[in-house]
Coordinates of all heavy atoms in Angstrom, one line a residue:
M1 N 4.5 7.6 -19.4 CA 4.4 6.9 -18.3 C 4.7 7.8 -17.1 O 5.8 8.4 -17.1 CB 5.2 5.7 -18.3 CG 5.1 4.8 -17.0 SD 6.1 3.3 -17.1 CE 4.9 2.3 -18.0
P2 N 3.9 7.8 -15.9 CA 4.3 8.6 -14.8 C 5.6 8.3 -14.2 O 6.0 7.1 -14.2 CB 3.1 8.4 -13.9 CG 2.0 8.0 -14.7 CD 2.6 7.2 -15.8
E3 N 6.2 9.2 -13.6 CA 7.5 9.0 -13.0 C 7.3 8.6 -11.6 O 6.2 8.7 -11.0 CB 8.3 10.4 -12.9 CG 8.7 10.9 -14.4 CD 9.6 10.0 -15.1 OE1 10.6 9.4 -14.5 OE2 9.4 9.7 -16.3
F4 N 8.4 8.1 -11.0 CA 8.3 7.8 -9.5 C 8.4 9.0 -8.7 O 9.1 10.0 -9.1 CB 9.5 6.9 -9.1 CG 9.4 5.5 -9.5 CD1 9.8 5.0 -10.8 CD2 8.9 4.6 -8.6 CE1 9.7 3.7 -11.1 CE2 8.8 3.2 -8.9 CZ 9.1 2.8 -10.1
E5 N 7.6 9.1 -7.6 CA 7.5 10.2 -6.8 C 8.1 9.8 -5.4 O 7.8 8.7 -4.9 CB 6.0 10.7 -6.5 CG 5.4 11.1 -7.8 CD 3.9 11.5 -7.6 OE1 3.6 12.0 -6.4 OE2 3.1 11.4 -8.4
R6 N 8.9 10.7 -4.8 CA 9.5 10.4 -3.5 C 8.4 10.6 -2.4 O 7.8 11.7 -2.4 CB 10.6 11.3 -3.2 CG 11.3 11.1 -1.9 CD 12.4 12.1 -1.8 NE 12.9 12.0 -0.5 CZ 14.2 12.4 -0.2 NH1 15.0 12.8 -1.1 NH2 14.6 12.3 1.1
L7 N 8.1 9.6 -1.7 CA 7.0 9.7 -0.6 C 7.5 9.7 0.8 O 6.8 10.1 1.6 CB 6.0 8.5 -0.8 CG 5.2 8.6 -2.2 CD1 4.1 7.5 -2.1 CD2 4.6 10.0 -2.4
T8 N 8.7 9.2 1.0 CA 9.3 9.2 2.4 C 10.7 9.5 2.3 O 11.4 9.2 1.4 CB 9.1 7.8 3.0 OG1 10.0 6.9 2.5 CG2 7.7 7.3 3.0
D9 N 11.2 10.0 3.5 CA 12.6 10.1 3.7 C 13.0 8.8 4.5 O 12.3 8.5 5.5 CB 12.9 11.4 4.6 CG 12.6 12.7 3.8 OD1 12.8 12.6 2.6 OD2 12.3 13.6 4.4
G10 N 14.1 8.3 4.2 CA 14.6 7.1 4.9 C 13.9 5.9 4.6 O 12.9 5.8 3.8
A11 N 14.2 4.8 5.1 CA 13.6 3.5 4.9 C 12.5 3.2 5.9 O 12.3 3.9 6.8 CB 14.7 2.4 5.1
L12 N 11.7 2.2 5.5 CA 10.7 1.7 6.4 C 11.2 0.4 7.1 O 11.8 -0.5 6.5 CB 9.4 1.4 5.6 CG 8.4 2.4 5.3 CD1 9.0 3.4 4.3 CD2 7.1 1.9 4.8
A13 N 11.0 0.4 8.4 CA 11.3 -0.9 9.1 C 10.4 -2.0 8.8 O 9.2 -1.8 8.4 CB 11.3 -0.6 10.6
A14 N 10.8 -3.2 9.0 CA 10.0 -4.4 8.7 C 8.8 -4.3 9.6 O 8.8 -4.0 10.8 CB 10.7 -5.6 9.1
G15 N 7.6 -4.6 9.0 CA 6.3 -4.4 9.7 C 5.7 -3.1 9.8 O 4.6 -2.9 10.2
E16 N 6.4 -2.1 9.3 CA 5.9 -0.7 9.4 C 5.0 -0.4 8.3 O 5.2 -0.8 7.1 CB 7.1 0.3 9.3 CG 6.7 1.7 9.4 CD 7.9 2.7 9.5 OE1 9.0 2.2 9.4 OE2 7.5 3.9 9.5
L17 N 3.9 0.4 8.5 CA 2.9 0.9 7.6 C 3.0 2.4 7.7 O 3.1 3.0 8.8 CB 1.5 0.5 7.9 CG 1.2 -1.0 7.8 CD1 -0.2 -1.2 8.2 CD2 1.3 -1.4 6.3
R18 N 2.9 3.2 6.5 CA 3.0 4.6 6.6 C 2.0 5.2 5.6 O 1.9 4.7 4.4 CB 4.4 5.0 6.3 CG 4.6 6.5 6.7 CD 6.0 6.9 6.4 NE 7.0 6.2 7.2 CZ 8.3 6.2 7.2 NH1 8.9 7.1 6.3 NH2 9.1 5.6 7.9
A19 N 1.3 6.2 6.0 CA 0.4 6.9 5.0 C 1.2 8.0 4.3 O 2.1 8.6 4.8 CB -0.7 7.6 5.8
A20 N 0.9 8.2 3.0 CA 1.6 9.2 2.1 C 0.5 9.6 1.1 O -0.6 9.1 1.0 CB 2.8 8.6 1.5
R21 N 0.9 10.6 0.3 CA 0.0 11.0 -0.8 C 0.9 11.3 -2.0 O 2.0 11.9 -1.9 CB -0.7 12.4 -0.4 CG -1.8 12.2 0.6 CD -2.8 13.3 0.6 NE -3.9 13.0 1.5 CZ -4.9 12.4 1.3 NH1 -5.2 12.0 0.0 NH2 -5.9 12.2 2.2
L22 N 0.3 10.9 -3.2 CA 1.0 11.2 -4.4 C 0.7 12.7 -4.7 O -0.2 13.3 -4.1 CB 0.4 10.4 -5.6 CG 0.6 8.9 -5.5 CD1 -0.2 8.2 -6.5 CD2 2.1 8.6 -5.6
A23 N 1.4 13.3 -5.6 CA 1.3 14.7 -6.0 C -0.1 15.1 -6.4 O -0.6 16.2 -6.2 CB 2.3 15.1 -7.1
D24 N -0.9 14.1 -7.0 CA -2.2 14.4 -7.4 C -3.3 14.2 -6.2 O -4.5 14.4 -6.4 CB -2.7 13.5 -8.6 CG -2.8 12.0 -8.2 OD1 -2.6 11.7 -7.0 OD2 -3.1 11.2 -9.1
G25 N -2.8 13.9 -5.1 CA -3.6 13.8 -3.8 C -4.1 12.4 -3.5 O -4.7 12.1 -2.5
T26 N -3.7 11.4 -4.3 CA -4.2 10.0 -4.1 C -3.5 9.5 -2.8 O -2.2 9.6 -2.7 CB -3.7 9.1 -5.3 OG1 -4.2 9.6 -6.5 CG2 -4.0 7.7 -5.0
P27 N -4.3 9.0 -1.9 CA -3.7 8.5 -0.7 C -3.1 7.1 -0.9 O -3.6 6.2 -1.5 CB -5.0 8.3 0.3 CG -6.1 8.1 -0.7 CD -5.8 8.9 -1.9
I28 N -1.9 7.0 -0.4 CA -1.1 5.7 -0.6 C -0.7 5.2 0.8 O -0.3 5.9 1.7 CB 0.2 6.0 -1.4 CG1 -0.2 6.6 -2.7 CG2 1.1 4.8 -1.5 CD1 -0.8 5.6 -3.7
C29 N -0.8 3.8 0.9 CA -0.2 3.2 2.1 C 1.0 2.5 1.7 O 1.0 1.7 0.7 CB -1.3 2.2 2.6 SG -0.6 1.0 3.9
I30 N 2.2 2.8 2.2 CA 3.4 2.1 1.9 C 3.8 1.2 3.2 O 3.5 1.6 4.3 CB 4.5 3.0 1.5 CG1 4.8 4.1 2.4 CG2 4.2 3.6 0.1 CD1 5.9 5.0 2.1
G31 N 4.4 0.1 2.9 CA 4.7 -0.7 4.0 C 5.9 -1.7 3.7 O 6.4 -1.7 2.5
N32 N 6.4 -2.4 4.7 CA 7.5 -3.3 4.6 C 7.0 -4.6 5.2 O 6.9 -4.7 6.4 CB 8.7 -2.7 5.3 CG 9.9 -3.6 5.2 OD1 9.8 -4.8 5.0 ND2 11.1 -3.1 5.4
A33 N 6.8 -5.5 4.3 CA 6.4 -6.9 4.7 C 7.6 -7.9 4.7 O 7.9 -8.3 3.6 CB 5.3 -7.4 3.8
G34 N 8.2 -8.0 5.7 CA 9.4 -8.9 5.9 C 10.5 -8.5 4.9 O 11.1 -9.4 4.4
G35 N 10.8 -7.3 4.7 CA 11.8 -6.8 3.8 C 11.3 -6.5 2.4 O 12.2 -6.0 1.6
Q36 N 10.1 -6.8 2.1 CA 9.6 -6.5 0.7 C 8.7 -5.3 0.8 O 7.7 -5.2 1.6 CB 8.9 -7.7 0.1 CG 8.3 -7.4 -1.2 CD 7.6 -8.6 -1.8 OE1 7.4 -9.6 -1.1 NE2 7.1 -8.5 -3.0
L37 N 9.0 -4.2 0.1 CA 8.2 -3.0 0.1 C 6.9 -3.2 -0.7 O 7.0 -3.9 -1.8 CB 9.0 -1.8 -0.5 CG 10.1 -1.3 0.4 CD1 10.9 -0.1 -0.4 CD2 9.6 -0.8 1.8
F38 N 5.9 -2.5 -0.3 CA 4.7 -2.5 -1.2 C 4.0 -1.2 -1.1 O 4.3 -0.4 -0.1 CB 3.7 -3.6 -0.7 CG 3.1 -3.5 0.6 CD1 2.0 -2.8 0.9 CD2 3.8 -4.0 1.8 CE1 1.4 -2.5 2.1 CE2 3.2 -3.8 3.0 CZ 2.1 -3.1 3.2
A39 N 3.2 -0.8 -2.0 CA 2.5 0.4 -2.0 C 1.1 0.1 -2.6 O 0.9 -0.5 -3.7 CB 3.1 1.5 -2.9
V40 N 0.0 0.5 -1.8 CA -1.4 0.2 -2.2 C -2.2 1.5 -2.0 O -1.7 2.4 -1.1 CB -2.0 -0.9 -1.5 CG1 -1.3 -2.3 -1.9 CG2 -2.0 -0.7 0.0
R41 N -3.3 1.7 -2.6 CA -4.1 2.8 -2.3 C -4.5 2.7 -0.8 O -4.9 1.6 -0.3 CB -5.4 2.9 -3.2 CG -6.2 4.1 -3.0 CD -7.3 4.2 -3.9 NE -6.7 4.2 -5.3 CZ -7.1 4.9 -6.3 NH1 -8.1 5.8 -6.1 NH2 -6.5 4.8 -7.4
D42 N -4.5 3.9 -0.1 CA -4.7 3.9 1.3 C -6.2 3.9 1.6 O -6.7 4.8 2.4 CB -4.0 5.0 2.0 CG -3.8 4.8 3.5 OD1 -4.1 3.7 4.0 OD2 -3.5 5.8 4.2
E43 N -7.0 3.0 1.0 CA -8.4 2.9 1.2 C -8.8 1.4 1.1 O -8.6 0.8 0.1 CB -9.2 3.7 0.2 CG -8.9 5.2 0.2 CD -9.6 5.9 -0.9 OE1 -10.1 5.3 -1.9 OE2 -9.7 7.1 -0.8
C44 N -9.4 0.9 2.1 CA -9.9 -0.5 2.1 C -11.1 -0.5 1.0 O -11.9 0.4 1.1 CB -10.6 -0.9 3.4 SG -11.3 -2.6 3.3
P45 N -11.0 -1.4 0.0 CA -12.1 -1.4 -1.0 C -13.5 -1.7 -0.5 O -14.5 -1.5 -1.1 CB -11.6 -2.4 -2.0 CG -10.6 -3.3 -1.3 CD -10.0 -2.4 -0.2
H46 N -13.5 -2.2 0.8 CA -14.9 -2.5 1.4 C -15.5 -1.2 2.0 O -16.7 -1.1 1.9 CB -14.7 -3.6 2.4 CG -15.9 -3.8 3.3 ND1 -15.9 -3.4 4.6 CD2 -17.2 -4.3 3.0 CE1 -17.1 -3.7 5.1 NE2 -17.9 -4.2 4.2
S47 N -14.7 -0.5 2.6 CA -15.2 0.6 3.5 C -14.5 1.9 3.4 O -14.8 2.9 4.1 CB -15.3 0.2 4.9 OG -14.0 -0.1 5.4
A48 N -13.4 2.1 2.6 CA -12.6 3.2 2.5 C -11.9 3.6 3.7 O -11.3 4.7 3.8 CB -13.4 4.4 1.9
F49 N -11.7 2.7 4.7 CA -10.9 2.9 5.9 C -9.5 3.0 5.5 O -9.0 2.2 4.7 CB -11.2 1.8 6.9 CG -10.5 2.0 8.2 CD1 -11.1 2.8 9.2 CD2 -9.3 1.5 8.5 CE1 -10.5 3.0 10.4 CE2 -8.7 1.6 9.8 CZ -9.3 2.4 10.7
P50 N -8.7 3.9 6.1 CA -7.2 4.0 5.7 C -6.5 2.7 6.2 O -6.4 2.4 7.3 CB -6.7 5.2 6.5 CG -7.9 5.9 7.0 CD -9.1 4.9 7.0
L51 N -6.0 2.0 5.2 CA -5.2 0.8 5.4 C -3.9 1.0 6.2 O -3.4 0.1 6.9 CB -4.9 0.0 4.1 CG -6.1 -0.6 3.4 CD1 -5.8 -1.0 2.1 CD2 -6.8 -1.7 4.3
S52 N -3.4 2.2 6.1 CA -2.2 2.6 6.9 C -2.5 2.6 8.4 O -1.6 2.6 9.2 CB -1.7 4.0 6.5 OG -2.7 4.9 6.7
N53 N -3.8 2.6 8.8 CA -4.2 2.4 10.2 C -4.5 1.0 10.6 O -5.1 0.7 11.6 CB -5.4 3.4 10.5 CG -5.1 4.8 10.5 OD1 -4.0 5.2 10.8 ND2 -6.0 5.7 10.1
G54 N -4.3 0.1 9.6 CA -4.5 -1.3 9.9 C -3.3 -2.0 10.5 O -2.5 -1.3 11.1
T55 N -3.2 -3.3 10.2 CA -2.2 -4.1 10.8 C -1.5 -5.0 9.8 O -2.3 -5.5 9.0 CB -2.8 -5.0 11.9 OG1 -3.4 -4.2 12.9 CG2 -1.7 -5.8 12.6
L56 N -0.3 -5.0 9.8 CA 0.5 -5.9 8.9 C 0.8 -7.1 9.6 O 1.5 -7.2 10.6 CB 1.8 -5.2 8.4 CG 2.6 -5.9 7.3 CD1 1.7 -6.1 6.1 CD2 3.7 -5.0 6.9
L57 N 0.2 -8.3 9.2 CA 0.3 -9.6 9.9 C 1.4 -10.4 9.2 O 1.8 -10.1 8.0 CB -1.0 -10.3 9.8 CG -2.2 -9.5 10.4 CD1 -3.5 -10.2 10.1 CD2 -2.1 -9.4 11.9
P58 N 1.8 -11.5 9.8 CA 2.8 -12.4 9.2 C 2.2 -12.9 7.9 O 1.0 -13.0 7.8 CB 2.9 -13.5 10.2 CG 2.6 -12.9 11.6 CD 1.5 -11.8 11.3
G59 N 3.1 -13.3 7.0 CA 2.7 -13.8 5.7 C 2.3 -12.7 4.7 O 1.5 -13.0 3.8
A60 N 2.7 -11.5 4.9 CA 2.3 -10.3 4.0 C 0.8 -10.1 4.0 O 0.3 -9.8 3.0 CB 3.0 -10.5 2.7
R61 N 0.2 -10.3 5.1 CA -1.3 -10.0 5.2 C -1.5 -8.6 5.8 O -1.1 -8.4 6.9 CB -1.9 -11.1 6.1 CG -1.9 -12.5 5.5 CD -2.3 -13.6 6.4 NE -3.8 -13.6 6.6 CZ -4.6 -14.4 5.9 NH1 -4.1 -15.3 5.1 NH2 -5.9 -14.4 6.0
L62 N -2.3 -7.8 5.0 CA -2.6 -6.5 5.5 C -4.1 -6.5 5.9 O -5.0 -6.9 5.1 CB -2.4 -5.5 4.3 CG -2.7 -4.1 4.6 CD1 -2.0 -3.5 5.8 CD2 -2.5 -3.2 3.4
E63 N -4.3 -6.2 7.2 CA -5.6 -6.3 7.8 C -6.2 -4.9 8.0 O -5.6 -4.0 8.6 CB -5.7 -7.0 9.1 CG -7.0 -7.2 9.7 CD -7.0 -7.9 11.0 OE1 -6.3 -7.5 11.9 OE2 -7.7 -9.0 11.0
C64 N -7.4 -4.7 7.4 CA -8.1 -3.4 7.7 C -8.6 -3.4 9.1 O -9.1 -4.3 9.7 CB -9.3 -3.3 6.7 SG -10.3 -1.9 7.0
G65 N -8.3 -2.2 9.7 CA -8.6 -2.1 11.2 C -10.1 -1.8 11.4 O -10.5 -1.8 12.6
W66 N -10.9 -1.7 10.5 CA -12.4 -1.4 10.7 C -13.2 -2.7 10.7 O -13.8 -3.0 11.8 CB -12.9 -0.5 9.6 CG -14.1 0.2 10.0 CD1 -15.0 0.0 11.1 CD2 -14.8 1.3 9.3 NE1 -16.0 0.8 11.1 CE2 -15.9 1.7 10.0 CE3 -14.4 1.9 8.1 CZ2 -16.8 2.6 9.6 CZ3 -15.3 2.9 7.7 CH2 -16.5 3.3 8.4
H67 N -13.2 -3.5 9.6 CA -14.0 -4.7 9.6 C -13.2 -6.0 9.5 O -13.8 -7.1 9.3 CB -15.1 -4.6 8.4 CG -16.0 -3.5 8.6 ND1 -16.1 -2.4 7.8 CD2 -17.0 -3.3 9.5 CE1 -17.0 -1.6 8.1 NE2 -17.5 -2.1 9.2
G68 N -11.9 -5.8 9.5 CA -11.0 -7.1 9.5 C -10.8 -7.7 8.2 O -10.3 -8.8 8.1
A69 N -11.2 -7.0 7.1 CA -10.8 -7.7 5.8 C -9.3 -7.8 5.7 O -8.5 -7.0 6.2 CB -11.3 -6.8 4.6
Q70 N -8.9 -8.9 5.0 CA -7.4 -9.1 4.9 C -7.0 -9.3 3.4 O -7.8 -9.9 2.7 CB -7.0 -10.4 5.7 CG -7.1 -10.2 7.1 CD -6.5 -11.4 8.0 OE1 -5.9 -12.3 7.5 NE2 -6.8 -11.4 9.3
F71 N -5.8 -8.8 3.1 CA -5.4 -8.8 1.7 C -3.9 -9.2 1.7 O -3.2 -9.0 2.7 CB -5.4 -7.4 1.1 CG -6.7 -6.7 1.3 CD1 -7.1 -6.0 2.4 CD2 -7.7 -6.8 0.3 CE1 -8.3 -5.4 2.5 CE2 -8.9 -6.2 0.4 CZ -9.2 -5.5 1.5
D72 N -3.5 -9.8 0.6 CA -2.1 -10.1 0.3 C -1.5 -8.8 -0.1 O -1.9 -8.4 -1.3 CB -1.9 -11.2 -0.7 CG -0.5 -11.6 -0.9 OD1 0.4 -10.7 -1.0 OD2 -0.3 -12.8 -1.1
C73 N -0.6 -8.2 0.6 CA -0.2 -6.8 0.2 C 0.8 -6.9 -1.0 O 1.1 -5.9 -1.6 CB 0.5 -6.2 1.4 SG 1.9 -6.9 2.1
R74 N 1.3 -8.1 -1.4 CA 2.2 -8.3 -2.5 C 1.3 -8.3 -3.8 O 1.8 -7.8 -4.8 CB 3.0 -9.5 -2.4 CG 3.9 -9.6 -1.2 CD 4.4 -10.9 -0.9 NE 3.3 -11.8 -0.6 CZ 3.3 -12.9 0.0 NH1 4.6 -13.5 0.2 NH2 2.3 -13.6 0.2
T75 N 0.2 -8.9 -3.7 CA -0.6 -9.1 -5.0 C -1.9 -8.3 -5.0 O -2.5 -8.1 -6.0 CB -1.0 -10.6 -5.2 OG1 -1.9 -10.9 -4.1 CG2 0.2 -11.5 -5.2
G76 N -2.3 -7.9 -3.8 CA -3.6 -7.1 -3.7 C -4.8 -8.0 -3.5 O -5.9 -7.6 -3.3
A77 N -4.6 -9.4 -3.6 CA -5.7 -10.3 -3.5 C -6.5 -10.3 -2.2 O -5.8 -10.1 -1.1 CB -5.2 -11.7 -3.8
V78 N -7.7 -10.5 -2.2 CA -8.5 -10.5 -1.0 C -8.3 -11.9 -0.4 O -8.4 -12.9 -1.0 CB -10.0 -10.4 -1.3 CG1 -10.8 -10.6 0.0 CG2 -10.3 -9.0 -1.9
L79 N -7.9 -12.0 1.0 CA -7.7 -13.2 1.6 C -8.8 -13.6 2.5 O -9.1 -14.8 2.8 CB -6.3 -13.2 2.4 CG -5.1 -12.9 1.5 CD1 -3.9 -12.8 2.4 CD2 -4.9 -14.1 0.5
E80 N -9.5 -12.6 3.1 CA -10.6 -12.7 4.0 C -11.5 -11.5 3.8 O -11.1 -10.4 3.8 CB -10.2 -12.8 5.4 CG -9.6 -14.1 5.8 CD -9.5 -14.4 7.3 OE1 -10.4 -13.9 8.0 OE2 -8.5 -15.0 7.7
G81 N -12.9 -11.8 3.7 CA -13.9 -10.7 3.6 C -14.0 -9.9 4.9 O -13.3 -10.2 5.9
P82 N -14.8 -8.9 4.9 CA -15.9 -8.7 4.0 C -15.6 -8.1 2.7 O -16.5 -7.9 1.8 CB -16.9 -7.9 4.8 CG -16.0 -7.1 5.7 CD -14.8 -8.0 5.9
A83 N -14.4 -7.7 2.4 CA -14.1 -7.1 1.0 C -14.2 -8.1 0.0 O -13.9 -9.3 0.1 CB -12.7 -6.6 1.1
D84 N -14.6 -7.6 -1.2 CA -14.7 -8.5 -2.4 C -13.7 -8.1 -3.5 O -13.3 -8.9 -4.3 CB -16.1 -8.4 -3.0 CG -17.2 -8.9 -2.2 OD1 -17.0 -10.0 -1.6 OD2 -18.3 -8.3 -2.1
D85 N -13.3 -6.8 -3.5 CA -12.4 -6.3 -4.5 C -11.0 -6.3 -4.0 O -10.7 -6.0 -2.9 CB -12.9 -4.9 -4.9 CG -14.2 -4.8 -5.5 OD1 -14.5 -5.7 -6.3 OD2 -15.0 -3.9 -5.2
P86 N -10.0 -6.5 -4.9 CA -8.6 -6.5 -4.5 C -8.1 -5.1 -4.3 O -8.8 -4.1 -4.7 CB -7.9 -7.1 -5.8 CG -8.8 -6.8 -6.9 CD -10.2 -6.8 -6.3
L87 N -6.9 -4.9 -3.7 CA -6.3 -3.6 -3.5 C -5.8 -3.1 -4.8 O -5.4 -3.8 -5.7 CB -5.1 -3.8 -2.5 CG -5.5 -4.3 -1.1 CD1 -4.2 -4.4 -0.3 CD2 -6.4 -3.3 -0.5
V88 N -5.8 -1.8 -4.9 CA -5.1 -1.1 -6.0 C -3.7 -1.0 -5.6 O -3.3 -0.4 -4.6 CB -5.7 0.3 -6.2 CG1 -5.0 1.1 -7.3 CG2 -7.3 0.2 -6.5
R89 N -2.8 -1.5 -6.5 CA -1.3 -1.5 -6.1 C -0.6 -0.5 -7.0 O -0.9 -0.2 -8.1 CB -0.8 -2.9 -6.4 CG -1.4 -4.0 -5.5 CD -0.9 -5.3 -5.7 NE -0.9 -5.8 -7.0 CZ 0.2 -6.1 -7.8 NH1 1.4 -6.1 -7.2 NH2 0.1 -6.5 -9.0
Y90 N 0.6 -0.1 -6.5 CA 1.5 0.8 -7.2 C 2.9 0.2 -7.2 O 3.3 -0.4 -6.2 CB 1.5 2.1 -6.5 CG 0.2 2.9 -6.6 CD1 -0.9 2.6 -5.8 CD2 -0.1 3.8 -7.6 CE1 -2.1 3.2 -5.8 CE2 -1.3 4.4 -7.7 CZ -2.3 4.1 -6.8 OH -3.5 4.7 -6.9
E91 N 3.7 0.5 -8.2 CA 5.1 0.1 -8.2 C 5.8 0.9 -7.3 O 5.7 2.2 -7.1 CB 5.6 0.3 -9.6 CG 7.0 -0.2 -9.9 CD 7.4 -0.1 -11.3 OE1 6.6 0.3 -12.2 OE2 8.6 -0.4 -11.6
V92 N 6.7 0.3 -6.5 CA 7.5 0.9 -5.4 C 9.0 0.6 -5.5 O 9.3 -0.5 -5.9 CB 6.9 0.6 -4.0 CG1 7.0 -0.9 -3.8 CG2 7.5 1.4 -2.9
R93 N 9.9 1.5 -5.1 CA 11.3 1.2 -5.0 C 11.9 2.0 -3.9 O 11.4 3.0 -3.5 CB 12.0 1.4 -6.3 CG 12.1 2.8 -6.7 CD 12.8 3.0 -8.0 NE 13.1 4.4 -8.3 CZ 13.2 4.9 -9.5 NH1 13.1 4.1 -10.5 NH2 13.5 6.2 -9.6
A94 N 13.0 1.4 -3.4 CA 13.7 2.2 -2.4 C 15.0 2.6 -2.9 O 15.7 1.9 -3.7 CB 13.9 1.2 -1.1
E95 N 15.4 3.8 -2.5 CA 16.8 4.3 -2.9 C 17.4 4.8 -1.5 O 16.6 4.9 -0.6 CB 16.7 5.3 -3.9 CG 16.3 4.8 -5.3 CD 16.3 5.8 -6.4 OE1 16.7 7.0 -6.1 OE2 15.9 5.5 -7.5
D96 N 18.6 5.1 -1.5 CA 19.3 5.5 -0.3 C 18.6 6.5 0.5 O 18.6 6.5 1.7 CB 20.8 6.0 -0.6 CG 21.6 4.9 -1.2 OD1 21.3 3.7 -0.9 OD2 22.6 5.2 -1.8
D97 N 17.9 7.5 -0.2 CA 17.4 8.6 0.5 C 15.8 8.5 0.7 O 15.2 9.5 1.2 CB 17.7 9.9 -0.2 CG 17.2 10.0 -1.6 OD1 16.8 8.9 -2.1 OD2 17.2 11.0 -2.2
G98 N 15.2 7.4 0.4 CA 13.8 7.3 0.6 C 13.1 6.2 -0.1 O 13.7 5.4 -0.8
V99 N 11.8 6.3 -0.1 CA 10.9 5.3 -0.8 C 10.2 6.1 -1.9 O 9.6 7.1 -1.7 CB 9.9 4.7 0.1 CG1 8.9 3.7 -0.6 CG2 10.7 3.9 1.3
Y100 N 10.1 5.5 -3.1 CA 9.5 6.1 -4.3 C 8.4 5.3 -4.8 O 8.5 4.0 -4.9 CB 10.6 6.3 -5.4 CG 11.7 7.3 -5.0 CD1 12.7 6.9 -4.1 CD2 11.7 8.5 -5.5 CE1 13.7 7.8 -3.7 CE2 12.7 9.5 -5.1 CZ 13.7 9.0 -4.3 OH 14.6 10.0 -3.9
V101 N 7.3 5.9 -5.2 CA 6.1 5.2 -5.8 C 5.9 5.8 -7.2 O 5.8 7.0 -7.3 CB 4.9 5.3 -4.9 CG1 3.7 4.7 -5.5 CG2 5.3 4.6 -3.6
R102 N 5.6 4.9 -8.2 CA 5.2 5.4 -9.5 C 3.7 5.9 -9.4 O 2.9 5.2 -8.9 CB 5.3 4.3 -10.6 CG 5.1 4.9 -12.0 CD 5.2 3.9 -13.0 NE 6.5 3.2 -13.2 CZ 7.5 3.7 -13.8 NH1 7.5 4.9 -14.3 NH2 8.7 3.0 -13.8
G103 N 3.5 7.1 -9.9 CA 2.1 7.7 -9.7 C 1.0 7.2 -10.7 O 0.2 7.9 -11.1
E104 N 1.0 5.9 -10.9 CA 0.0 5.2 -11.7 C -0.3 3.8 -11.2 O 0.7 3.1 -10.9 CB 0.4 5.1 -13.2 CG -0.6 4.5 -14.1 CD -0.2 4.5 -15.6 OE1 1.0 4.2 -15.8 OE2 -1.0 4.8 -16.4
A105 N -1.5 3.5 -11.0 CA -1.9 2.2 -10.5 C -1.4 1.1 -11.4 O -1.4 1.2 -12.7 CB -3.4 2.0 -10.2
M106 N -1.0 -0.1 -10.9 CA -0.5 -1.2 -11.7 C -1.8 -1.9 -12.1 O -2.8 -2.0 -11.5 CB 0.3 -2.2 -10.8 CG 1.7 -1.5 -10.4 SD 2.6 -2.5 -9.2 CE 2.8 -4.0 -10.1
T107 N -1.7 -2.5 -13.4 CA -2.9 -3.2 -13.9 C -2.9 -4.7 -13.7 O -3.8 -5.4 -14.0 CB -3.0 -2.9 -15.4 OG1 -1.8 -3.3 -16.1 CG2 -3.3 -1.4 -15.7
S108 N -1.8 -5.2 -13.2 CA -1.7 -6.7 -13.1 C -1.2 -7.0 -11.7 O -0.7 -6.2 -11.0 CB -0.8 -7.4 -14.1 OG 0.6 -6.8 -14.0

């Protein structure tokens, strides 16, 4: 099983989105939705727009800045189209010195 990779120094503030990359080059969007960290592939499944350039809305809703698709950033579920496919999610954890993401997509 892939190990956790350190993607940021320090913590993310509530409402913050940040772009990062795994060691294999996979683009990751990490964020803080009301104190809950999440990590998803940094590509909208509808148009490949970087979700880190989107908006984190109340209720853990991540909105793509291009066509307005909205997702539940905790589960990856599509909340509003035009996207049909859910987000690819990654396991994330915070430690004193940064945010870490496991380098393999979650299957559930």
